[in-house]
Amino acid sequence: MTRIDTIAALTKKALWLSNWMIHHANHIRPNTDGVKVGGHQASSASMAAIMSALYFGVLKPEDRVAVKPHASPVFHAIQYLFGKQTLEKLENFRAFGGAQSYPSRTKDTDDVDISTGSVGLGVAFTAFASLIQDYIRAKSWADTSHPEGRMVALVGDAELDEGNVYECLLEGWKHGLRNTLWVIDYNRQSLDGVVREGLYDRIEAIFRAFDWTIVTLKYGALQRAAFEEPGGDRLKAWIDAAPNAIYSALMFRGGAAWRDRLSDEIGDQGDVSALLARRSDAELAELMGNLGGHCTQSLIEQFEAAGSDRPTVFIAYTVKGWATPLAGHKDNHAGQMTSAQIDSLRQSMNVREGHEWDRFEGLENPAAAEQFLADAPFNTSASRRHIAPTVATIGPQFVGTGPTSTQTAFGKVLDAIAKTDSDLARRIITTSPDVTVSTNLGTWVNRRNLYAKSEMVDIFQKEAIPSAQKWRFTPEGQHLELGIAEMNLFLALGAAGLSHSLFGERLLPIGTLYDPFISRGLDALNYACYQDARFLLIGTPSGVSLAGEGGAHQSIASPLIGMSQDGLASFEPAFADELSVIMDWAFDYMQRSGDARPDLADWPRDVTGGSVYLRLSTRTIEQPPRAMDTPLADDIIRGAYWLKPPTPSCDTVIAYQGVLANEAIAAAAAIGGDRRNVAILAVTSADRLNAGWHAAQRARLHGDDEASSHIEALLADIPHRAGLVTVIDAHPATLGWLGSVRGHRTMTLGVEHFGQTGTVNDLYAHFGIGAQAIETAARSLMRG
C-alpha cells in the first residue's frame, strides 16, 4: 500500500472508532441516571479525513493543535491508534474518568495541546500562541535550538459566527502573524440547519483582507479526474452552482437520487449521460462525496505545500456525517445512528462483531499499519509538554508609606522590578487592551519597551515632541500592545501563561484592564483558567470609588467572579505594602506545579498554584506606618489579619476588603468614643478565606477533626454575642458569608445596583458604605 492508501485506511479506522465510541456511550454502556450522554457522530465524521491527514502524515511533534470541539471522538480515536489513549478511557467516553466530551489539557490523559469547548476560543488561541512563540524566539535568553512549531486550528464553519475569531485576525495582522494554519471544516451545516448561500465568498474576503494565504479544498481527486472526462466540465459547473441544502439532501438520499437529479438537470444522452452511466449508484455517491476535505491525497498535498511566513487558511469542503448513514441530513448535528445503522457501518468497515474496539480490526495489513503509525512524524515517545525551570522571585518591592492608591503602587512595584537585572524582570511580559497608561503600566513600558519583530522608532520622540511615553518597539521589548478587545487580552494571557509547557520557556504574564470589563472577556478568562494557564491579572480601577466615571465603568460583581473562578486566586489589597507582599507571592504561585507541599496548605490550590487576580483602586488613601514582618505577610496571603485586634470584651467587628479601609477605621474611631471594644478585620482576599474555610469543612467531613481554617482561627476569640459588620465597594455577598463561620449576627454593606456619577462621598453615602453608614450598622448590632 502507498502512504496515501495507508492514511486513507487509517482514516476509516478512526471514523469507525469515533462512531462506535459515541454509540457505545449512548446505547451499550449502562445509563444509571437517564440523562442523555450525547456526542456528535456527524460533526465528528466530517473531520475524520482532515485530522487523519494531519496527525498521520503531516504534523511534527513541535506543532500544536486546537481540535474542533465536536471532533473530540476522532481525536481520541487517533490517540488510541497511536497508543496514547487507553481502551478504558474510550469505553468511558463522556463518563466519569473517561475521555472528555471536548479535548481538555487538564482533564484528558491523552496528548491534548489546546483545550476546546467554548467554540471559537481554541481557534483564536492558536493565533496568540504563534505570537508568543515568536516573542520568545526574539529574546536573547531563549533556547532557539529546537524547531519552530505550527499552530493549527481545526475549525467548524459555525465557529466563524464567533466574534472573537475576527478580533484575533486583526491582532494577528498587526503583529505579523505566521506559523499558523487554520483548517475550516466547511460542511455547510450547523445545529439549526444548513448555512446561508454565499458564506464561502464572505469567509474568503475576510481572510484575504488580513493577508492570509487562502487554499480552497473543494474537489477531491476522484472529482478532478471526472472533470477531465467528456462532460466533466458540466458536472463541475453543476457542483459549483448547487445550493448547500440540495447538496446535503442528495448526500443523504444516496446514489440513485444523485443519478436522477443529475440526469434531469444536466443529462443530455451524450457525454454527461455516459459519464454517469459508467458509474454504479454506489460509485456515483462516492464521487459526489469526494470533496476536498475528504480526499486524503488532496489534503496531504496541500498541507505539505503550506508555507510558514504567512498564516494559511484551508477552506475544506466536507459533508457533515461523511461516510455514515447520517451524511447530509439537516437534523444530524445531535442525531445518532440506530443499532441497525451502526451494524451496517461495522460490516462495511469489515469489523467483526465482538472486535469493535480492536485497534487494527478490518485493515488489510495490521502489522504494516502499526509500523506506519510508529514511524509517523507526530508520534514520538517523548512528552510533547515541556518543563521549564522556575524563575526565582526577588522579594517584595516596597514603595514608601505616603498616601497612595493601590493602582499607583502597582506601577511603582513593577517599575522597581524593571530596574533590576533579574531573571524575574526578564521573564515578565505585560499586555493590556488599549489601557496601558491608565492602568499604570506606563513606567514599565518606558523602561522595558514594546515588543515588535523589528525595530520601530518613536516618531514623537524623533520629532522632539514632548511626551511622557517613550513608545519604542523592539524585538527585546516586553509589552505586547493589544487593541481594546478584552477577549484578545485573556487569550493572549492564556497563550503566554502556557509558554512553559508549549514552548519550554517560562513567561510571567501580567495583564491589566478596567475592572468592570473583566465580564466582557469572561468566557476567555474561564477558558484560560481551564487550560491551567498562569498569569497575573490586574483589574483597575474598580468599584463606585471610580465615582466620576459613572455606572458603566464601576464594577460590582468582579470580586464574586474572583471567588468563583476555578484556577484563579483573587485579592483586593487596601495598602501598598499588602500589594507588594501579594505580588511577590503571586510570581511564585504562578509557577507551582504541585511537586512540593508549601507551608500555606490550608487552601488546596496552594499546592498546585494557578493564576492570580488583583482588584485595585485609583483612590488615594493613607498608608499605615508599620514594618512588614513574616506573621503579618503570611496573614495577608492567607486572606485577612487584625488591623485592630479584638479584646476579650469585644462586641463589634468591622470587616472590610479593599479601598474602604479608611471608612472602616473612621467608623471604629467614632464608635470607640464611647466603647473600646471594636475590632477591625482587614480582609485581603475573601476568595482565600472562603476557600480555606470550605477546605477545612471538607477535611472534617472526611474524619480530620483537627482541621481548621485561617478565618475560623481569626474569629475564634470573638464572643458569640458580638456583632459583625462587613463592608466592601462591591457586592455585599463577597463578605456576607463571614457571619456563618462562627454564627455571629452580621450586617452586610456593599453595592448592589449600577452606580452613577458624583463624588466619592456622594456615592458612598448613596450606597451606604461610608464611615457614617458603617457606624450606624455597627451600633444597630450592639447590645445594651
Side-chain angles (χ1 to χ4, degrees):
M1 294 177 68
T2 67
R3 172 176 177 244
I4 297 298
D5 290 338
T6 302
I7 294 175
L10 289 169
T11 297
K12 291 184 177 180
K13 191 68 210 178
L15 179 70
W16 161 253
L17 286 169
S18 61
N19 280 287
W20 177 249
M21 191 187 315
I22 298 170
H23 183 81
H24 180 272
N26 286 272
H27 301 289
I28 298 176
R29 191 175 69 217
N31 188 332
T32 58
D33 55 19
V35 176
K36 181 189 79 169
V37 176
H40 300 87
Q41 287 177 324
S43 293
S44 188
S46 62
M47 288 294 300
I50 292 171
M51 293 175 65
S52 296
L54 285 168
Y55 280 101
F56 299 144
V58 176
L59 295 177
K60 304 294 195 300
E62 60 269 18
D63 298 331
R64 299 289 180 261
V65 186
V67 175
K68 185 181 84 166
H70 293 161
S72 173
V74 170
F75 172 79
H76 292 306
I78 287 172
Q79 294 290 309
Y80 179 61
L81 290 172
F82 274 142
K84 296 179 181 295
Q85 179 62 285
T86 66
L87 173 58
E88 181 184 12
K89 295 287 186 180
L90 297 192
E91 289 177 327
N92 287 288
F93 174 63
R94 292 195 167 211
F96 185 74
Q100 294 294 297
S101 309
Y102 310 112
S104 170
R105 280 183 60 88
T106 56
K107 306 299 181 185
D108 276 313
T109 56
D110 47 358
D111 201 6
V112 179
D113 291 317
I114 298 169
S115 299
T116 52
S118 186
V119 294
L121 292 180
V123 180
F125 187 93
T126 59
F128 289 101
S130 181
L131 295 180
I132 293 300
Q133 179 178 236
D134 284 348
Y135 174 92
I136 290 172
R137 297 180 75 88
K139 299 297 180 281
S140 58
W141 43 258
D143 177 8
T144 58
S145 61
H146 53 276
E148 291 181 325
R150 294 165 293 181
M151 306 300 117
V152 182
L154 306 178
V155 189
D157 50 10
E159 289 189 275
L160 297 177
D161 293 342
E162 294 289 344
N164 63 275
V165 171
Y166 304 101
E167 291 173 352
C168 89
L169 287 178
L170 183 57
E171 284 301 339
W173 173 80
K174 285 163 52 179
H175 290 282
L177 181 65
R178 52 193 292 274
N179 273 325
T180 304
L181 307 179
W182 287 4
V183 186
I184 298 175
D185 175 19
Y186 192 54
N187 61 41
R188 293 160 286 173
Q189 289 182 253
S190 62
L191 175 60
D192 291 333
V194 181
V195 303
R196 296 291 189 272
E197 296 300 325
L199 178 62
Y200 169 86
D201 296 328
R202 303 299 180 270
I203 294 172
E204 183 187 43
I206 289 169
F207 282 96
R208 196 173 304 282
F210 289 108
D211 291 339
W212 284 57
T213 297
I214 302 167
V215 178
T216 301
L217 289 160
K218 187 171 186 178
Y219 318 108
L222 288 179
Q223 288 188 351
R224 295 197 303 273
F227 298 158
E228 296 300 317
E229 298 178 22
D233 56 338
R234 294 183 62 189
L235 176 63
K236 180 177 182 295
W238 186 93
I239 291 174
D240 289 341
N244 294 330
I246 291 295
Y247 212 97
S248 295
L250 291 172
M251 283 302 306
F252 179 74
R253 293 182 62 196
W258 277 116
R259 187 178 306 280
D260 291 344
R261 179 60 66 102
L262 294 173
S263 297
D264 288 345
E265 297 192 2
I266 58 174
D268 58 356
Q269 307 304 312
D271 290 341
V272 177
S273 295
L275 185 153
L276 299 177
R278 283 192 293 272
R279 291 164 171 84
S280 67
D281 286 351
E283 290 170 335
L284 185 56
E286 182 183 9
L287 172 65
M288 299 307 288
N290 181 238
L291 300 174
H294 300 312
C295 177
T296 301
Q297 177 181 330
S298 301
L299 290 165
I300 293 290
E301 288 174 354
Q302 294 300 326
F303 288 157
E304 290 184 335
S308 61
D309 289 337
R310 292 176 62 187
T312 299
V313 59
F314 299 90
I315 306 176
Y317 278 72
T318 62
V319 175
K320 194 167 184 174
W322 173 71
T324 76
L326 304 176
H329 197 288
K330 72 181 184 66
D331 298 334
N332 63 12
H333 182 86
Q336 294 181 15
M337 281 180 267
T338 65
S339 295
Q341 289 173 324
I342 199 76
D343 190 58
S344 175
L345 183 65
R346 178 184 62 77
Q347 293 179 46
S348 71
M349 298 285 188
N350 296 318
V351 174
R352 293 169 295 168
E353 193 170 359
H355 293 264
E356 290 86 355
W357 294 111
D358 292 2
R359 287 173 66 205
F360 302 109
E361 173 73 8
L363 298 181
E364 290 184 12
N365 191 336
E370 188 168 17
Q371 187 60 51
F372 182 88
L373 289 172
D375 295 337
F378 185 78
N379 195 14
T380 172
S381 58
S383 174
R384 295 175 57 254
R385 295 196 183 186
H386 299 287
I387 298 175
T390 57
V391 177
T393 59
I394 60 174
Q397 303 296 298
F398 297 109
V399 293
T401 58
T404 191
S405 70
T406 47
Q407 176 177 300
T408 299
F410 161 71
K412 290 181 178 180
V413 170
L414 203 55
D415 188 46
I417 295 171
K419 293 176 183 177
T420 69
D421 184 28
S422 63
D423 197 27
L424 175 73
R426 284 188 289 273
R427 298 288 176 152
I428 289 174
I429 174 176
T430 61
T431 187
S432 187
D434 201 44
V435 290
T436 301
V437 174
S438 56
T439 55
N440 276 54
L441 283 177
T443 53
W444 163 268
V445 175
N446 283 344
R447 200 173 297 279
R448 289 285 173 167
N449 300 313
L450 296 100
Y451 165 73
K453 290 181 181 178
S454 57
E455 192 86 17
M456 296 168 58
V457 299
D458 184 338
I459 297 298
F460 275 70
Q461 188 177 26
K462 184 178 180 180
E463 296 294 329
I465 300 173
S467 172
Q469 312 307 324
K470 302 179 182 67
W471 296 115
R472 177 176 172 238
F473 289 84
T474 169
E476 286 294 327
Q478 291 180 241
H479 179 76
L480 181 66
E481 184 191 25
L482 295 178
I484 204 166
E486 283 77 11
M487 293 289 281
N488 282 343
L489 169 73
F490 289 118
L491 289 168
L493 289 174
L498 285 174
S499 63
H500 57 285
S501 177
L502 294 176
F503 308 120
E505 295 285 358
R506 190 176 297 279
L507 295 177
L508 298 171
I510 300 176
T512 65
L513 80 167
Y514 286 176
D515 195 63
F517 301 140
I518 284 177
S519 297
R520 289 178 59 174
L522 191 54
D523 192 15
L525 169 60
N526 181 67
Y527 174 70
C529 291
Y530 181 64
Q531 302 218 75
D532 199 24
R534 305 302 178 87
F535 51 86
L536 176 59
L537 174 64
I538 307 297
T540 182
S542 63
V544 299
S545 298
L546 188 64
E549 292 284 339
H553 279 187
Q554 297 167 3
S555 56
I556 297 173
S558 52
L560 297 175
I561 293 172
M563 291 179 69
S564 62
Q565 179 60 60
D566 189 20
L568 189 70
S570 67
F571 292 82
E572 187 173 4
F575 303 119
D577 59 356
E578 297 172 355
L579 174 66
S580 300
V581 168
I582 293 167
M583 286 183 65
D584 181 64
W585 173 86
F587 289 129
D588 173 72
Y589 182 77
M590 290 158 58
Q591 302 180 71
R592 295 181 187 174
S593 63
D595 296 333
R597 190 171 182 87
D599 293 333
L600 302 176
D602 60 353
W603 197 50
R605 264 289 188 175
D606 278 359
V607 179
T608 55
S611 293
V612 180
Y613 157 46
L614 306 184
R615 188 176 190 249
L616 307 183
S617 175
T618 52
R619 185 176 174 227
T620 297
I621 64 173
E622 296 288 337
Q623 303 294 303
R626 62 188 177 188
M628 181 60 65
D629 56 22
T630 299
L632 176 57
D634 287 347
D635 283 352
I636 288 169
I637 298 304
R638 288 187 170 100
Y641 63 93
W642 288 115
L643 189 66
K644 184 175 183 292
T647 64
S649 60
C650 175
D651 62 6
T652 305
V653 175
I654 299 173
Y656 73 89
Q657 178 170 293
V659 74
L660 294 179
N662 279 6
E663 281 64 36
I665 294 168
I671 300 169
D674 55 3
R675 292 174 183 265
R676 301 296 179 186
N677 48 7
V678 179
I680 304 175
L681 182 65
V683 177
T684 55
S685 174
D687 177 30
R688 301 273 295 168
L689 287 182
N690 186 265
W693 181 43
H694 283 289
Q697 289 177 316
R698 287 192 298 271
R700 290 193 290 267
L701 285 172
H702 288 85
D704 184 0
D705 295 335
E706 301 300 317
S708 184
S709 66
H710 184 54
I711 187 58
E712 288 171 314
L714 286 171
L715 298 181
D717 295 332
I718 304 298
H720 189 266
R721 68 177 186 279
L724 177 62
V725 176
T726 68
V727 62
I728 184 173
D729 184 3
H731 198 282
T734 309
L735 298 176
W737 58 274
L738 287 173
S740 299
V741 175
R742 294 287 184 181
H744 292 103
R745 293 172 298 118
T746 305
M747 183 72 71
T748 61
L749 306 180
V751 182
E752 297 179 79
H753 305 289
F754 293 113
Q756 53 187 297
T757 55
T759 66
V760 170
N761 289 337
D762 287 340
L763 296 191
Y764 282 8
H766 176 72
F767 288 107
I769 57 174
Q772 179 61 55
I774 298 171
E775 179 186 353
T776 300
R779 291 188 183 279
S780 74
L781 292 174
M782 291 177 179
R783 297 182 184 275

